[in-house]
Amino acid sequence: MPIKVRAAYLAGAGRSAGQICAELGVSEQHKLRAMLRTIGVSLRSECSLAVPLPREVIATLGTEADRAGMPPEEFAARILALMVIEEPTMLRNLLDA
């Protein structure tokens, strides 16, 4: 069975990136996440907010999250928390621009 199909199945079964990597012999979790994103599968925890974004934004977010060594959802959540809670002036400035 191709590795992408097996990884997608395991992700759908609720396995974590670490568990999938261990089972498939993949050495880096960010590569697994990137591979799964190419087929439209993301490793998510429960999400209380779904935000539709253009593909280019999602791709850039994924790339930056991989560089930071974290899942894109966690990366996006940190950005939002920073703007809304820690630096609300930044958010107001962006909205007023």
Side-chain angles (χ1 to χ4, degrees):
M1 183 179 309
I3 192 168
K4 283 185 183 181
V5 173
R6 184 78 179 134
Y9 171 79
L10 294 170
R15 299 268 173 57
S16 70
Q19 291 169 327
I20 296 170
C21 285
E23 188 162 331
L24 299 179
V26 176
S27 60
E28 298 180 45
Q29 291 183 24
H30 69 91
K31 288 183 179 180
L32 171 73
R33 286 187 188 91
M35 177 186 67
L36 287 172
R37 275 196 306 276
T38 66
I39 59 172
V41 175
S42 75
L43 295 170
R44 300 181 191 190
S45 56
E46 285 189 35
C47 179
S48 60
L49 175 66
V51 180
L53 297 170
R55 288 181 192 264
E56 54 275 0
V57 172
I58 292 171
T60 301
L61 184 65
T63 299
E64 294 304 319
D66 286 344
R67 286 185 185 149
M70 65 180 68
E73 295 81 6
E74 181 182 336
F75 187 75
R78 285 187 181 186
I79 291 169
L80 286 172
L82 174 67
M83 290 179 64
V84 173
I85 297 169
E86 296 178 31
E87 295 291 338
T89 304
M90 181 189 313
L91 178 62
R92 284 192 291 278
N93 289 340
L94 285 170
L95 293 174
D96 291 341

